[in-house]
Amino acid sequence: AQAMRVTPNTFRGLTALKQLDVSYMNIVDIAPGSLSEMTQLSFLALDVNPITLRPGTLTGLSQLRNLTCFETELYSLDFLQDLPMLSFFEESGGSYSLPSFAFNASPHLTHLEIRSVTFMQ
């Protein structure tokens, strides 16, 4: 499948959307601010995408509570700082260092599952 890049125009106008599942879409990039209009989004599935989530990528998703990233090639968890209401996070297949502050910005986190991850120094 052809690589997909999410731009600010990809989901423009979906301000009332509460759930978004873009699993298996071969997404390689989400430009910062591309999802920021989705202020009501509470569930996001990014499973099986070769994507790197950077700080700013998920900015504006102030109501996001559930995020799944199974078999997603994460290289950092820095994007978690943009998700203050996150309560459910599942991830597998990443390769990153886990800084001591990784979950400081996630006081509502009640479910954390990290599987098949390579932790780097």
Side-chain angles (χ1 to χ4, degrees), residues 26-48:
N26 201 28
I27 296 173
V28 295
D29 184 54
I30 298 177
S34 295
L35 305 177
S36 62
E37 286 187 4
M38 297 182 186
T39 57
Q40 300 304 307
L41 196 67
S42 63
F43 174 87
L44 177 60
L46 298 171
D47 306 330
V48 194

Side-chain angles (χ1 to χ4, degrees), residues 4 7 16-17 33 43 49 58 64-65 72 81 97 100 106 111-112 119 121:
M4 178 180 175
T7 69
L17 195 67
F43 174 87
N49 283 297
L58 302 179
L64 191 69
R65 286 171 169 62
T72 301
Q81 67 189 356
S97 60
S100 59
S106 305
H111 178 93
L112 174 64
F119 290 111
Q121 298 289 0

Side-chain angles (χ1 to χ4, degrees), residues 77-88:
L77 294 180
D78 292 346
F79 65 89
L80 292 174
Q81 67 189 356
D82 297 326
L83 305 173
M85 298 304 292
L86 192 66
S87 62
F88 183 99

Side-chain angles (χ1 to χ4, degrees), residues 41-103:
L41 196 67
S42 63
F43 174 87
L44 177 60
L46 298 171
D47 306 330
V48 194
N49 283 297
I51 188 172
T52 300
L53 295 176
R54 303 177 304 270
T57 301
L58 302 179
T59 297
L61 300 182
S62 59
Q63 298 302 310
L64 191 69
R65 286 171 169 62
N66 297 291
L67 175 62
T68 63
C69 299
F70 291 116
E71 296 182 36
T72 301
E73 298 174 15
L74 298 181
Y75 299 102
S76 167
L77 294 180
D78 292 346
F79 65 89
L80 292 174
Q81 67 189 356
D82 297 326
L83 305 173
M85 298 304 292
L86 192 66
S87 62
F88 183 99
F89 177 58
E90 291 185 341
E91 193 271 326
S92 69
S95 178
Y96 46 79
S97 60
L98 190 61
S100 59
F101 60 86
F103 301 103

